[in-house]
Amino acid sequence: MKSMENHEDMAAMPAMPTEPERSDMQRAKGADESVHVANVPINTNTLAESAISLGMPDNVSSIPLDVVTVPSRPARTISAQATQTEVVPESESEEAQESVAQQSSAQEASAQQQATVPPRAPWYAFATPALGKIVRWASRLSRHGGSALPGQVIERFDRGFLARTLAELPYGVVLVSGTNGKTTTTRMVASVLESLGLRVFTNPTGSNFTRGVVSALLGEVDLKGRLDADIAVLELDEAYAVHFVKQFRPRYSLLLNVMRDQLDRFGEIDNTARLLSHVAQATSGTVVLNREDARIAHLAADVPHDTKVAYFGLVNSLRVFFPSDDDMHASDMAQDESNAADRSASVRTGSDVFASARSGMPAPGVRDTGSPRLNLGRAAFESTAQPADVVLKHVGDHEAEFLIDGRAVNTSVKLEGVYNLFNAAAALAVVRAVAADSADSAADNAGDGDSAGDNDRAINASDERLMRALAQVTPAFGRGEVIDVNGTPVELLLVKNPMGFRLSLASFPPENHDTMIAICDEYADGRDMSWLWDVDFGSLRGEGVAMVSGTRAWDMALRLEYDQVPVGQTDTDLEQSVERFVTANPGRPKHMYCTYTAMLRARSALSHIAQVADAGVGH
């Protein structure tokens, strides 16, 4: 099955801007009259960013990502709605540079204003909800088209539908983005807000492109286009988050992390951070940032002066279990092949690591790698750490302890995996931001002598209520979801980049389980599977992998062979492999590690032999 979020209308793609003509550089009446032009570096990451501002599809693989080093770097200013890149040589006067900066600021303000005010409805807008529902019904009936097809149709038919509908929400929109943890964190935020009494709209399927959001809206609005909700909590892909904020400014943004992921789509990690900076710039209320990820924490500098910033984080003893992308690669480079056995017991994988995380103690095998964050308690990191609103303090067996404004609170949890508990700290931070704004609004209305309506009441987000709500959150589909197959628990674990795979292996010990790995390379997965070589599979040596499948099954089998992990069967027929795997060894628990489209196909195959919850993806 091919992913249904995969192709933009290439015919509608604007042409990339060409490099300015340089013929003037060659014009000279003589040696004394030659025209001097400063050398201008060509930063192709900036070109990629500019392409996105032009409305280009998120697949920017055709754009090279290396910086061409040329002497003399001029100042550059690129507005969110720019149609060309303005280059201001350093030799120009301060007045000229200030004029360009003012012009850019005006363009940014104009773009933000356009995203704040909903577009006027076209005369045929009355037909939008009915058309969308018909397409949605037909695609689900035919089991063809996926969760995004109705949104794709409506985006072409009525481009303002998304912004007009969301503009009616009294509490606005919470936008969740980042490399890892978007779907589960979105589910947590939505679940907790619902527990606090709000009516929440969300996109629960993990279809995190704008068309996926539109498709989800079509399932909730009535025939007049009205949405019965107080607030929207939306997961968005890093690239499509940029498209979204051009249409509508979120009131709250939760930015989780940046890791090397789908290099064929996003380019290098710094480019991904630049994409998220657009989200920070467009947020009108509060931006919640991960203080443990330097690239995310630095986005505070991009937040508008009238927008608040909050942080979530970790205590020292848990930071080792969440290395940044730079930490991970520094650790890899510091350890050569002779240390392979030590690596399998280090921070990256293994049941010992998760057991250590549960006790809150440092993991075995961790040593000085030259990374300031991996060396616990390093003053260099402590001196730059931002105070966090919510901090994950301790991880236990289905329990967690947090520091909220310095107060220790704890709760039981249904979620699996230490990384999901860090996501819980992020969710709690953004929920508290929503509650704080509701309290301010209620106080303002009371001061004005107005009677508070249902949407002006203060949300009671006491620590006790937050912990009770968090305790009820269950895993998102395919993210630790457990499906019962004739008495055999089968746990689906989404993996899509090195860090996510490493954390999953660390959080779900393979002992006494059968393991299957399914790797596909459809557009939604990312075509480049070379990231599998950045994952240490040493923890699987003891139990082995019973089944390897997917379109890239043989690549995965080869990768496991290099880590000396025994493989039972390898078969590219994913549906047949799933059935053979889950029916073998009845009663023995099973782990299935899947890329995104492999997970969708696996759920579809399981639905023929077991009860599988409808995730709304047309299968």
Side-chain angles (χ1 to χ4, degrees):
M1 185 200 76
K2 291 187 178 295
S3 166
M4 303 317 301
E5 286 92 10
N6 54 357
H7 294 296
E8 289 283 317
D9 182 4
M10 298 302 292
M13 188 198 315
M16 283 292 296
T18 58
E19 185 178 355
E21 293 292 332
R22 297 174 180 250
S23 58
D24 288 343
M25 297 176 62
Q26 309 302 325
R27 296 175 185 168
K29 296 181 181 179
D32 296 332
E33 299 178 51
S34 62
V35 178
H36 172 73
V37 178
N39 290 322
V40 177
I42 304 171
N43 187 323
T44 50
N45 278 334
T46 301
L47 288 179
E49 186 179 49
S50 181
I52 288 176
S53 75
L54 287 165
M56 195 172 178
D58 60 304
N59 186 348
V60 292
S61 59
S62 61
I63 302 171
L65 294 166
D66 293 324
V67 176
V68 180
T69 304
V70 185
S72 179
R73 181 185 181 95
R76 287 179 183 264
T77 303
I78 304 178
S79 71
Q81 300 294 320
T83 57
Q84 62 182 5
T85 302
E86 296 184 80
V87 180
V88 184
E90 292 176 344
S91 59
E92 288 191 5
S93 66
E94 293 183 2
E95 292 79 4
Q97 295 186 33
E98 182 178 356
S99 174
V100 171
Q102 290 174 349
Q103 181 182 5
S104 175
S105 298
Q107 291 173 331
E108 291 281 359
S110 174
Q112 290 185 356
Q113 180 66 20
Q114 292 173 8
T116 302
V117 179
R120 296 181 63 180
W123 68 267
Y124 51 81
F126 70 90
T128 300
L131 173 62
K133 288 179 179 295
I134 291 172
V135 175
R136 190 171 186 271
W137 172 80
S139 65
R140 290 171 66 83
L141 184 66
S142 64
R143 295 179 177 268
H144 176 74
S147 62
L149 179 61
Q152 186 174 8
V153 172
I154 294 305
E155 280 190 329
R156 293 171 181 269
F157 178 76
D158 182 358
R159 292 184 178 275
F161 171 73
L162 174 67
R164 291 197 314 273
T165 307
L166 296 179
E168 301 299 320
L169 298 173
Y171 288 92
V173 169
V174 178
L175 190 158
V176 181
S177 194
T179 304
N180 288 333
K182 295 185 291 293
T183 300
T184 298
T185 307
T186 299
R187 183 181 180 88
M188 290 182 196
V189 175
S191 296
V192 174
L193 287 174
E194 284 181 341
S195 297
L196 298 181
L198 294 184
R199 297 168 300 164
V200 180
F201 164 74
T202 188
N203 54 330
T205 69
S207 178
N208 52 25
F209 294 175
T210 51
R211 68 188 62 160
V213 176
V214 174
S215 292
L217 278 173
L218 292 168
E220 298 296 327
V221 298
D222 61 21
L223 289 176
K224 293 183 179 180
R226 292 175 301 201
L227 180 64
D228 184 23
D230 298 314
I231 191 169
V233 182
L234 304 177
E235 169 196 350
L236 282 160
D237 167 282
E238 298 95 307
Y240 270 89
V242 179
H243 292 286
F244 178 87
V245 300
K246 288 183 186 177
Q247 300 179 57
F248 190 83
R249 291 185 69 188
R251 191 173 301 176
Y252 308 93
S253 291
L254 174 54
L255 305 181
L256 298 170
N257 45 60
V258 285
M259 299 284 176
R260 284 171 173 83
D261 179 32
Q262 298 190 40
L263 298 182
D264 52 321
R265 290 188 57 223
F266 299 125
E268 269 297 340
I269 186 171
D270 290 321
N271 190 58
T272 306
R274 276 192 289 272
L275 296 179
L276 294 180
S277 72
H278 288 288
V279 177
Q281 292 166 9
T283 304
S284 62
T286 302
V287 177
V288 179
L289 303 173
N290 179 359
R291 77 169 184 191
E292 315 301 342
D293 187 309
R295 288 179 176 83
I296 292 294
H298 288 164
L299 296 182
D302 298 317
V303 175
H305 70 279
D306 56 346
T307 297
K308 303 171 191 173
V309 177
Y311 296 89
F312 65 96
L314 299 161
V315 296
N316 278 351
S317 59
L318 292 180
R319 284 185 181 128
V320 68
F321 303 107
F322 297 90
S324 70
D325 194 272
D326 291 332
D327 293 331
M328 187 173 69
H329 287 277
S331 178
D332 289 345
M333 289 186 292
Q335 301 178 35
D336 57 25
E337 290 301 320
S338 64
N339 294 323
D342 292 337
R343 285 206 305 272
S344 65
S346 73
V347 63
R348 295 176 298 163
T349 60
S351 57
D352 289 342
V353 173
F354 186 53
S356 299
R358 287 179 170 175
S359 68
M361 299 298 291
V366 176
R367 55 188 176 279
D368 190 336
T369 64
S371 169
R373 290 189 59 260
L374 281 183
N375 301 316
L376 298 179
R378 282 283 294 267
F381 178 77
E382 284 300 300
S383 64
T384 59
Q386 296 287 343
D389 189 40
V390 180
V391 174
L392 178 61
K393 181 182 179 183
H394 176 79
V395 176
D397 184 7
H398 288 89
E399 65 175 358
E401 184 175 5
F402 302 91
L403 293 175
I404 299 181
D405 285 341
R407 303 182 303 273
V409 294
N410 59 71
T411 182
S412 60
V413 290
K414 296 180 179 178
L415 300 166
E416 297 282 354
V418 62
Y419 54 91
N420 277 333
L421 299 179
F422 189 30
N423 293 335
L428 293 173
V430 77
V431 168
R432 282 170 50 82
V434 175
D437 283 353
S438 76
D440 291 343
S441 177
D444 290 343
N445 289 331
D448 293 339
D450 296 335
S451 59
D454 289 340
N455 296 325
D456 294 322
R457 70 186 187 280
I459 299 172
N460 179 3
S462 65
D463 296 345
E464 293 74 17
R465 292 194 74 191
L466 290 175
M467 292 301 101
R468 285 199 301 269
L470 185 62
Q472 301 305 313
V473 179
T474 55
F477 89 103
R479 280 81 169 173
E481 175 188 22
V482 178
I483 297 173
D484 184 279
V485 181
N486 299 322
T488 299
V490 178
E491 196 156 14
L492 293 177
L493 303 166
L494 177 70
V495 292
K496 62 191 187 73
N497 54 53
M499 181 54 69
F501 213 147
R502 292 180 184 201
L503 288 173
S504 287
L505 289 169
S507 296
F508 298 92
E511 288 77 20
N512 302 314
H513 286 73
D514 289 339
T515 299
M516 174 176 176
I517 301 178
I519 304 296
C520 289
D521 61 351
E522 301 293 345
Y523 177 81
D525 306 304
R527 302 290 190 184
D528 181 5
M529 289 291 119
S530 63
W531 61 266
L532 292 170
W533 293 87
D534 293 329
V535 183
D536 185 347
F537 295 97
S539 64
L540 297 176
R541 288 184 193 132
E543 295 286 340
V545 174
M547 176 70 72
V548 177
S549 189
T551 56
R552 299 295 288 270
W554 292 104
D555 299 78
M556 186 67 243
L558 177 64
R559 176 68 191 92
L560 292 172
E561 182 179 345
Y562 270 81
D563 270 4
Q564 302 173 20
V565 176
V567 173
Q569 300 180 64
T570 302
D571 189 344
T572 56
D573 190 324
L574 181 56
E575 285 71 21
Q576 289 188 16
S577 298
V578 168
E579 184 173 357
R580 291 204 307 271
F581 173 69
V582 299
T583 54
N585 299 326
R588 182 176 168 88
K590 293 172 171 51
H591 291 152
M592 292 180 60
Y593 296 95
C594 308
T595 55
Y596 182 71
T597 63
M599 182 264 293
L600 294 180
R601 292 173 59 184
R603 289 183 94 256
S604 179
L606 288 171
S607 69
H608 296 296
I609 57 177
Q611 185 67 36
V612 178
D614 180 12
V617 292
H619 300 284

